[in-house]
Amino acid sequence: MIDVPADISDNIFDRELKRGTVIRTQYQFPDGSTRNKYLIVLNHNISGPTIIFVFTTSRTEFYKKYPQFNPDILTLPVGAVSFFIKETVIDCRQVHKLSRDQLKRNFQEGLLQFAGELSANHLTRVDQIIRKSRFISSDDKKHILGEP
């Protein structure tokens, strides 16, 4: 890992982190396990203290077996975006939150990489799914969709 001065690292992080950004970072789950996961940044106010995101997964068998979840996911086929080399599901059934400071620390420590950005069409589809979601709170929807 290259040792980059903090001010330069912070500027890169602030420039790259935006709505629709796909990041790969180390994530600690409630059971204490830690894995690298791809996350899609969702909130409109990206400068706030909390970043709202959804997970992606290339383990799509569950979603094929249980199609009742299809209204709450977006499936990206192979080749839809350059940074996912397998068919990938964006699971919009549950949003998650991390502090912006934690993500920034992960970036500074080399534990977070910016993979790319969703296209405007994919992000619009995610917004449509979230707007209709029975699982996401109205408060979270406001922060994600930028609606009053």
Side-chain angles (χ1 to χ4, degrees), residues 19-133:
R19 189 167 196 277
T21 298
V22 179
I23 59 177
R24 184 172 187 265
T25 192
Q26 195 172 78
Y27 183 82
Q28 184 171 7
F29 290 88
D31 68 1
S33 65
T34 303
R35 295 197 312 264
N36 284 324
K37 290 294 292 179
Y38 282 96
L39 320 172
I40 311 289
V41 177
L42 296 177
N43 40 327
H44 266 267
N45 180 6
I46 210 67
S47 63
T50 303
I51 301 301
I52 303 171
F53 62 90
V54 290
F55 287 119
T56 70
T57 184
S58 59
R59 296 180 182 173
T60 60
E61 299 79 24
F62 171 86
Y63 303 95
K64 291 174 182 174
K65 185 175 179 181
Y66 299 102
Q68 65 265 32
F69 294 117
N70 285 353
D72 299 299
I73 66 169
L74 176 61
T75 302
L76 301 175
V78 172
V81 293
S82 62
F83 40 85
F84 294 136
I85 59 171
K86 298 179 181 178
E87 180 180 55
T88 299
V89 166
I90 300 173
D91 187 346
C92 300
R93 291 178 299 155
Q94 184 177 16
V95 296
H96 305 272
K97 299 174 184 175
L98 279 174
S99 81
R100 189 175 201 286
D101 290 341
Q102 178 61 54
L103 289 173
K104 189 177 277 192
R105 276 192 302 277
N106 284 5
F107 182 66
Q108 291 166 342
E109 294 170 10
L111 302 173
L112 182 151
Q113 296 86 37
F114 291 97
E117 293 179 39
L118 288 184
S119 70
N121 288 338
H122 290 137
L123 194 53
T124 296
R125 182 66 186 117
V126 168
D127 285 347
Q128 291 168 344
I129 292 167
I130 288 173
R131 188 172 281 112
K132 295 177 186 177
S133 176

